[in-house]
Amino acid sequence: MDRRHLITTGELSRAEIEAILARATEIDEGADADISDFLLGLLFFEPSTRTRLSFEAAAKRLGGDVVDLGAVEASSVEKGETLADSVRVLEGYCDAMVLRHPREGAARMATEFVNIPLINGGDGAGHHPSQTLLDLYTIQKHHGLDGLTIGILGDLKYGRTVHSLATALTKFDADQHFISPESLRLPRDIRFDLHEGGATVREHTSMEAILPLLDVLYVTRIQRERFPDENEYRSVAGQYRIDEAVLADASDDLIILHPLPRVDEIDPAIDETDRAKYFEQSHNGVPVRMALLELLMEGSR
Ligand code: NCD
């Protein structure tokens, strides 16, 4: 793959996405890795469970290892070090890095200071492209990516996984429905990007009418930490909860995805049903991130 960094899904072509998913499938089926003896730098300025641990697992399974900035409070960031200096220093210690940061645009900015591959592991309410790759991998396994009807539900304003997924799906023949409270609609710039990508942006405040059409329901958490005002959060929290009753009219083949962590969006009783694919989805993070690391590092050598 002739690409150094991965900052948004908008910059990936359909062919590149397909190459990563195909390589992830091979790896999942036991293919040997093409790289080894590398170090992946982990710079997480925000909490993370899946992204951090699955990148670490991916690096180690490929035969590499990680250097991890660890808790921000224990690093020089506490002494006032800038992000630019942190990434420049880390570049000398590793062969590729993953950056998660609360500020939108941080990952793009960081690429100005490093030459090794840099993966955006989430920039504020911006993008989270590697999550999208494992979302697409999971969807492809169950439904394929063309002729797909997907509902994306929850916090579409602050949800970076939503922004990256919706952008990537414009490259496939997918009908996208966006369901959220009025105040958490997709941001204008993302709607613009989707229009530019040829997608029709269908927005709803309730799921009822479209649920029977859906192959995939992608549920997201209300991003409490991004709300400027706690009262505003409380006014939208708990508006959508997926349980058996809500799903009564859904197609038998509907699957439910969630990038996790979930708070109370999905009744745990759904976990026991065939529709629940969110734990499988999180497990897919390892082969997909192995494929991504391999392709980025091979391309940059
Ligand atoms: C997501 C994130 O960090 O954006 N988590 C993840 O990486 N799987 C979703 C979220 O925090 O709600």
Side-chain angles (χ1 to χ4, degrees), residues 9 16 23-24 32 55 60 76-77 84 111 121 143 149 183 194-195 215 234 248 263 267 277 281:
T9 50
E16 283 177 311
R23 185 60 185 146
D32 287 335
F55 265 116
K60 290 179 172 169
S76 284
V77 175
T111 60
H143 278 292
T149 304
S183 61
L194 299 185
H195 284 302
D215 302 309
R234 274 199 228 102
V263 183
D267 180 348
K277 301 294 181 212
Q281 179 187 0

Side-chain angles (χ1 to χ4, degrees), residues 50-51 100 128 131 160-161 221 223 259-261:
R50 277 148 292 272
T51 306
R100 170 169 289 189
H128 190 355
Q131 175 70 41
R160 56 196 176 195
T161 69
R221 173 180 73 89
Q223 308 279 300
L260 302 177

